Structures are given as structure tokens and as C-alpha cells.
Amino acid sequence: LKSYHIKPSFAFFVVATASLSVMYCSHRIELFDPTDPDRLMRKQIENFQKFCDAASGYLKEVPKLKTTSIAVLGPSGVSKSTITNAFAGEKVAATDVVERTQTISMVHASPEYDMYDVPGSHDVHKLKSLHLIMVVYTDRVEHVLSAQKLLTSIGIPFIFVRNKCNVKRDGPGLQQDFQKEQAIAGQIPLIYLGHAEKQDDIPEREFR
């Protein structure tokens, strides 16, 4: 019999609250059953759903922060800090690929809104107190659908942001990708961010 680690592609939450004892990211060794090859995946999905259900009930009464709060969430390497700095209008977060924080922390304050840095693993209790989450990815929206399920379960408004789009290189392909990914995202707003070397490389109209 073979054995495998169960590891989600985007395991971004490890709960520090004892009341939420259902843990999604488990490193327990599971035996592979050749007669039921999909068992491990089903088990992972079941555990995740249990986590979402538990979080939904436990976090129902968590109050929001007084000032409008925006947080950027995503796996390491998707340039979350670059987005944060753009909103702040100055460098308030390091832009290397190493996760430097282990807790949700405010990195920029203004009269209109505060910006928060969300690390790879965090307390969903504090996450619930925020007003809006930008879920950032770079390749496929499927990689962050687990985030969609959790944030929907605990009632936090969010949008999807595909970052590092190369307009000149991927041009027409980005329009096709956008249409496919917006269909997957459903009613959740989807934004593409990227760069262009010249003004002429910028699309004449937005993706839709």
C-alpha cells in the first residue's frame, strides 16, 4: 500500500481558536486504497466543509472594525505587497516573495480605509472583522476556490484579483481567460491586474 500526505494547494488558514477544533490542513498520513482512488480527495473536501460549517456558526457575531478595512489575501509569490503598496500610495509592505508576517496586521491607515496584510496562515476570527478581502492569484482561479468557499461561509465580502498579467505577451488570450474565469467565479467580481511596456500595449477596453 502507498501512503500520501494530504495537502491542499492553498491552505491559508490554521485556526488559533480552541473553539474551532475542526482543522482543515491536516498532515496525517492516509493510506491509499487502489479500489477507491478518489477517497483522499473526498476526505479533504469533507474536512474542509466541516471547517467552513464550524467557522460559520462560531464567527456569526464577530463585530466589524470601526474603520473600513481592506485586506489582500493569497499564496506567497502573487505580489500581495505590491497591490497593498499601490493602494497606500507608498511602500508600506516588503515586496519580496517571503512571507514576513504571521499575523493579520494593519500596514496603512487613512481617513477612508485601512489596509491589512494577511499572511499564509491566520486566525479566521480576526479575518471576520475585516470589511473586504482581495483574493489574489496569478495562474488559475481554481487555485483559490477554497478561499471563496470559506469567505462565503463566514460572510465576508471579497473579490478575485488575477495579478501579474502580461498584456503584451498574452493579449487576446487574457480576454478568453477572463471570460472562462468569470464564469467559474459566478457573481464574485473578478479583476485582472498586470503591466504593459508601452501605452499602445494597454487594451482599448476593459475585459468583460
Side-chain angles (χ1 to χ4, degrees):
L1 293 178
K2 297 180 180 179
S3 61
Y4 297 87
H5 255 126
I6 299 178
K7 290 186 179 180
S9 59
F10 182 28
F12 59 90
F13 51 91
V14 174
V15 183
T17 308
S19 300
L20 279 177
S21 58
V22 180
M23 304 300 291
Y24 171 49
C25 186
S26 172
H27 292 284
R28 179 170 57 88
I29 295 294
E30 294 281 349
L31 294 179
F32 175 75
D33 183 357
T35 65
D36 188 6
D38 296 328
R39 175 178 174 276
L40 298 182
M41 181 60 69
R42 290 200 309 272
K43 189 67 174 179
Q44 180 177 325
I45 294 174
E46 290 171 5
N47 288 340
F48 187 27
Q49 186 60 57
K50 290 178 182 178
F51 179 92
C52 290
D53 292 342
S56 176
Y58 178 76
L59 301 173
K60 187 174 297 184
E61 303 301 327
V62 174
K64 295 294 184 182
L65 297 172
K66 292 183 179 180
T67 303
T68 300
S69 52
I70 303 173
V72 184
L73 181 152
S76 178
V78 297
S79 295
K80 299 187 297 292
S81 296
T82 300
I83 295 175
T84 300
N85 293 338
F87 269 82
E90 58 181 317
K91 186 175 181 179
V92 296
T95 55
D96 54 29
V97 298
V98 179
E99 291 285 1
R100 294 193 173 275
T101 58
Q102 296 301 318
T103 59
I104 299 175
S105 57
M106 186 172 66
V107 294
H108 175 70
S110 71
E112 294 81 19
Y113 57 82
D114 297 332
M115 292 293 301
Y116 284 79
D117 184 30
V118 179
S121 299
H122 50 262
D123 181 359
V124 292
H125 187 279
K126 189 166 184 178
L127 189 68
K128 170 69 174 180
S129 68
L130 303 175
H131 291 87
L132 175 67
I133 307 293
M134 290 188 285
V135 182
V136 184
Y137 66 100
T138 56
D139 298 313
R140 298 170 56 192
V141 72
E142 290 90 341
H143 293 168
V144 291
L145 291 184
S146 57
Q148 176 183 11
K149 193 168 189 177
L150 176 64
L151 295 176
T152 300
S153 295
I154 60 180
I156 303 178
F158 65 96
I159 64 173
F160 287 128
V161 178
R162 178 171 171 174
N163 202 16
K164 297 186 178 181
C165 296
N166 189 316
V167 177
K168 181 178 181 179
R169 182 191 64 202
D170 301 326
L174 287 177
Q175 177 65 53
Q176 297 176 3
D177 287 350
F178 181 85
Q179 293 173 347
K180 293 177 182 178
E181 294 192 333
Q182 185 63 79
I184 294 172
Q187 298 299 314
I188 307 302
L190 172 63
I191 297 174
Y192 274 23
L193 295 179
H195 66 278
E197 296 178 1
K198 299 183 298 182
Q199 184 69 26
D200 294 342
D201 295 331
I202 300 175
E204 295 182 359
R205 61 186 180 89
E206 62 184 22
F207 296 124
R208 63 180 63 195

